[in-house]
């Protein structure tokens, strides 16, 4: 029996020599120290031995067991260290290599221009009011004084959402930021219906029109609307504020002029031009030799629109305007095709 134990020890230790990985080591442990290993069977058989033999064999078996266990532990440690050394070598890091440049993103030119406009307006005391892109016919048109069949609607071709039973008030994508005027006035008026507070806000955002996409027209574009409502607001306030805006935006010496125009939601209405900043007013291809560039539409808020917003037109007056940041960029950088803005061509975007 003692010979057998020596034999078990010798074979086990020998086979351990060739083991170099975790899986084989585990298999070795099961085979040599597991419940059905030859060594464990010696333990199980101890009871059948004679009284004299039992202590010697038992002690010898225990010694073999301890020897195998510590040999196993030593091997496990060695395998672990070898794996670590290998991974250090394989994943060696050359800290002297130059780094890879990270490609830095940037804001879209429209966003940059929107922010420029809003920064200037913020300096002038305007708060930003954001309104929804999905509107109803009522707010986009009717409450802004476009009656259902008014020819002025032809100015803006509309993306309507087809919905059963909403023929009187279809859902649509806003064609301008002006419907935000109604939401804003109603929200302000609700704070104090008897004496609504004054309003001075800028309403930025995307607008949508069902247009043929060409170099000059797109189906989506941004606008920044302005709205000022209060007591004794006059056309002089409109002219002063917008001329000041033009100087802050286009330069200290930028001159402006106002031309009479028509919008259903303002009366009187005007368009503002700035002196061409490309040729300084002398006449060039950008201003089509006129010396002036059209920048925005504006006017005194129509009494019906004030009323629809909850402001009594006999006590309150106001002015509003709408302008396009993409148009401003096109003029400033002489971009001759509006499709660049949503074309996602990096060669265009990386220039801003
Ligand atoms: N909503 C007009 C458009 O999209 C722009 C506009 C003109 C807005 C005059 C105004 C305004 O607030 O007073 O063409």
């Amino acid at each position: 029996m003692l010979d057998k134990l020596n034999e078990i020890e010798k074979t086990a230790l020998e086979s351990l020599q060739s083991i170099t990985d975790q899986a084989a080591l585990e298999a070795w442990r099961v085979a040599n120290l597991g419940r059905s290993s030859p060594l464990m069977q010696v333990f199980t058989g101890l009871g059948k031995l004679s009284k004299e033999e039992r202590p010697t064999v038992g002690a010898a078996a225990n010694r073999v067991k301890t020897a195998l266990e510590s040999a196993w532990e030593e091997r496990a440690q060695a395998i672990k260290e070898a794996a670590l050394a290998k991974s250090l070598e394989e994943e060696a890091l050359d800290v002297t290599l130059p780094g890879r440049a990270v490609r830095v993103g940037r804001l879209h030119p429209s966003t940059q221009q929107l922010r420029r406009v809003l920064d200037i307006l913020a300096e002038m005391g305007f708060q930003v009011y954001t309104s929804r892109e999905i509107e109803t016919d009522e707010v986009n048109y009717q409450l802004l004084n476009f009656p259902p069949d008014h020819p002025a609607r032809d100015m803006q071709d509309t993306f309507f959402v087809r919905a059963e039973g909403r023929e009187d008030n279809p859902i649509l994508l806003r064609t301008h930021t002006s419907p935000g005027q109604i939401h804003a006035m109603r929200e302000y008026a609700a704070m104090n219906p008897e004496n609504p507070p004054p309003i001075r806000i800028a309403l930025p955002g995307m607008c949508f029109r069902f247009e043929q996409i060409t170099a000059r027209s797109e189906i989506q574009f941004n606008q920044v609307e302005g709205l000022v409502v209060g007591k004794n607001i006059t056309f002089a306030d409109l002219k002063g504020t917008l001329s000041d805006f033009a100087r802050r935006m286009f330069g200290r010496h930028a001159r402006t002029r106002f031309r009479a125009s028509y919008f259903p939601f303002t009366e009187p209405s005007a368009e503002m031009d700035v002196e061409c900043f490309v040729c300084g007013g002398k006449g060039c291809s950008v201003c089509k030799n006129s010396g002036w560039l059209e920048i925005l539409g504006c006017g005194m808020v129509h009494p019906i629109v004030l009323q629809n917003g909850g402001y009594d037109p006999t006590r309150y007056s106001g002015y509003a305007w709408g302008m396009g940041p993409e148009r401003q960029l096109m003029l400033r950088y002489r971009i001759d095709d509006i499709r660049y803005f949503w074309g996602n061509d990096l060669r265009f975007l990386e220039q801003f």
Side-chain angles (χ1 to χ4, degrees):
M1 195 48 105
L2 292 177
D3 288 347
K4 191 179 166 199
L5 276 169
N6 284 337
E7 188 55 33
I8 288 174
E9 183 181 12
K10 195 166 154 247
T11 335
L13 291 179
E14 262 171 28
S15 66
L16 189 59
Q17 291 309 309
S18 58
I19 284 173
T20 53
D21 68 86
Q22 202 59 52
L25 184 68
E26 179 58 15
W28 180 90
R29 195 190 59 76
V30 172
N32 294 285
L33 287 162
R35 207 173 298 171
S36 45
S37 61
L39 177 61
M40 289 306 151
Q41 260 142 35
V42 173
F43 280 105
T44 326
L46 279 181
K48 289 191 203 117
L49 297 177
S50 67
K51 253 200 177 128
E52 296 71 39
E53 257 184 316
R54 209 177 294 155
T56 6
V57 176
N62 267 328
R63 188 194 55 76
V64 173
K65 182 165 175 262
T66 317
L68 294 193
E69 277 170 353
S70 61
W72 173 82
E73 234 164 72
E74 225 171 82
R75 196 80 208 155
Q77 188 62 29
I79 288 175
K80 222 161 124 194
E81 277 165 16
L84 182 63
K86 191 163 162 244
S87 81
L88 279 178
E89 194 163 311
E90 278 174 0
E91 294 159 28
L93 185 68
D94 182 353
V95 294
T96 64
L97 278 177
R100 284 185 208 120
V102 177
R103 297 244 296 182
V104 182
R106 67 196 67 223
L107 293 174
H108 189 278
S110 293
T111 308
Q112 292 183 31
Q113 182 66 9
L114 262 175
R115 292 192 181 182
R116 255 178 235 132
V117 170
L118 294 176
D119 282 350
I120 292 173
L121 291 173
E123 284 172 10
M124 296 171 69
F126 285 78
Q127 278 186 304
V128 171
Y129 184 97
T130 48
S131 184
R132 61 197 72 173
E133 290 178 348
I134 296 172
E135 267 300 352
T136 58
D137 185 273
E138 183 184 25
V139 185
N140 194 79
Y141 289 124
Q142 294 169 37
L143 295 173
L144 289 172
N145 200 31
F146 293 80
D149 296 307
H150 195 285
R153 280 188 179 198
D154 288 347
M155 286 159 52
Q156 300 168 350
D157 295 301
T158 310
F159 283 113
F160 286 102
V161 175
R162 230 178 267 135
E164 209 63 43
R166 289 199 61 103
E167 288 74 16
D168 290 347
N169 186 20
I171 293 165
L172 46 78
L173 300 183
R174 68 174 171 194
T175 57
H176 50 175
T177 43
S178 305
Q181 292 188 25
I182 298 291
H183 292 297
M185 281 192 279
R186 288 186 167 179
E187 196 177 317
Y188 276 74
M191 293 175 199
N192 185 355
E194 292 307 311
N195 273 307
I199 301 176
R200 185 163 57 201
I201 52 172
L203 306 98
M206 197 66 88
C207 304
F208 306 86
R209 290 189 197 171
F210 191 13
E211 308 236 24
Q212 179 75 33
I213 299 175
T214 68
R216 317 204 81 230
S217 63
E218 250 292 359
I219 58 170
Q220 65 176 83
F221 54 89
N222 283 288
Q223 281 191 345
V224 179
E225 187 95 5
L227 175 68
V228 175
V229 178
K231 303 218 165 111
N232 304 314
I233 304 283
T234 68
F235 201 84
D237 296 311
L238 177 159
K239 285 184 78 173
T241 306
L242 289 177
S243 298
D244 188 32
F245 172 82
R247 285 189 290 271
R248 292 174 189 244
M249 186 79 225
F250 301 108
R252 216 148 46 85
H253 301 293
R255 293 203 301 156
T256 49
R257 73 174 184 189
F258 290 79
R259 282 178 292 104
S261 184
Y262 173 75
F263 300 101
F265 36 88
T266 44
E267 182 57 37
S269 304
E271 278 169 327
M272 184 178 88
D273 298 340
V274 290
E275 200 166 37
C276 180
F277 40 74
V278 176
C279 63
K282 285 203 265 311
C284 68
S285 62
V286 176
C287 61
K288 299 197 195 76
N289 278 320
S290 70
W292 296 93
L293 299 169
E294 185 207 316
I295 287 299
L296 54 84
C298 58
M300 299 306 289
V301 182
H302 197 291
I304 290 178
V305 175
L306 284 172
Q307 187 85 58
N308 290 339
Y311 281 76
D312 177 357
T314 62
R315 291 159 60 216
Y316 291 86
S317 56
Y319 65 86
W321 79 82
M323 61 191 166
E326 282 87 23
R327 184 174 156 71
Q328 291 169 359
L329 285 175
M330 290 177 79
L331 294 172
R332 181 162 155 190
Y333 295 111
R334 291 185 236 183
I335 299 162
D336 56 9
D337 193 328
I338 196 172
R339 289 171 292 192
Y340 284 126
F341 285 99
W342 319 121
N344 278 341
D345 187 333
L346 283 179
R347 290 170 301 177
F348 174 74
L349 296 176
E350 281 180 349
Q351 293 180 52
F352 296 91

